Amino acid sequence: MSELPSAATGQHINAYGWAARDSSGILFSFQFTRRANGDNDITLGYSTVAFVTPTFTLPKMKHDIVGEVTKVGNNVTKFKVGDIARVECMVGRKLIAGSAIGGMKETQEMVDFAAKHNVTADVEVITMDYVNTAFERLAKGDVKYRFVIDVANTISSLF
């Protein structure tokens, strides 16, 4: 069996993302390489969904990244493969904080509770190709709810 890429061996893996390529701030999809997981890292599956809050003020923007843990490093104790994890990012304030939401069982219990009691969230689901328009709407204050970026369907349509 071949060894999986790891940070300790200096290996890199292919990744996909979106980034501004110039000062316009317009996001474009791109392919890049990143270092492989280290002993203290977790990897979230590409079905990750990002939330952008309507409390957007340049240059600060808060977003959460939620996804299924697909790989854990040897020293990781708070997560296991299959858990749902959330990473909170504050652009402009350099806040990066992770928190465990729970495993599939806990997530299903929460969804069942919400369904039983008709608890819903007001969100606007978008794909990444709409994100630049979403940023414009945020800047104009033309947003009532959180944007939920459907990354999984965006990636499957691009690559």
Side-chain angles (χ1 to χ4, degrees):
M1 178 189 298
S2 64
E3 187 177 313
L4 292 174
S6 72
T9 60
Q11 294 177 322
H12 289 78
I13 58 175
N14 289 328
Y16 303 96
W18 289 266
R21 297 181 182 173
D22 57 38
S23 62
S24 72
I26 294 174
L27 299 179
F28 297 93
S29 62
F30 72 108
Q31 183 177 355
F32 60 98
T33 58
R34 66 170 180 83
R35 71 168 177 79
N37 274 45
D39 287 339
N40 300 310
D41 298 330
I42 67 169
T43 296
L44 299 179
Y46 73 82
S47 60
T48 301
V49 177
F51 301 87
V52 180
T53 66
T55 55
F56 174 78
T57 56
L58 288 171
K60 297 173 182 143
M61 175 188 70
K62 179 182 178 287
H63 65 282
D64 303 333
I65 301 170
V66 179
E68 183 176 346
V69 176
T70 59
K71 185 176 179 183
V72 296
N74 293 332
N75 297 334
V76 174
T77 59
K78 293 184 179 182
F79 297 96
K80 64 183 182 304
V81 172
D83 282 349
I84 303 298
R86 174 177 159 249
V87 177
E88 212 176 61
C89 302
M90 178 71 75
V91 177
R93 289 190 185 166
K94 300 179 184 172
L95 164 71
I96 303 218
S99 65
I101 292 179
M104 295 303 286
K105 180 180 178 269
E106 292 84 3
T107 303
Q108 188 60 55
E109 288 172 359
M110 182 211 42
V111 169
D112 292 343
F113 177 86
K116 180 180 177 181
H117 298 284
N118 197 29
V119 176
T120 61
D122 292 326
V123 298
E124 187 172 338
V125 179
I126 63 172
T127 57
M128 275 304 298
D129 61 349
Y130 187 80
V131 77
N132 292 310
T133 301
F135 283 139
E136 291 171 10
R137 289 182 53 204
L138 284 167
K140 292 177 186 175
D142 180 31
V143 179
K144 295 179 185 176
Y145 316 110
R146 282 184 166 209
F147 284 116
V148 176
I149 305 168
D150 186 350
V151 177
N153 284 326
T154 302
I155 288 177
S156 64
S157 69
L158 289 175
F159 306 103

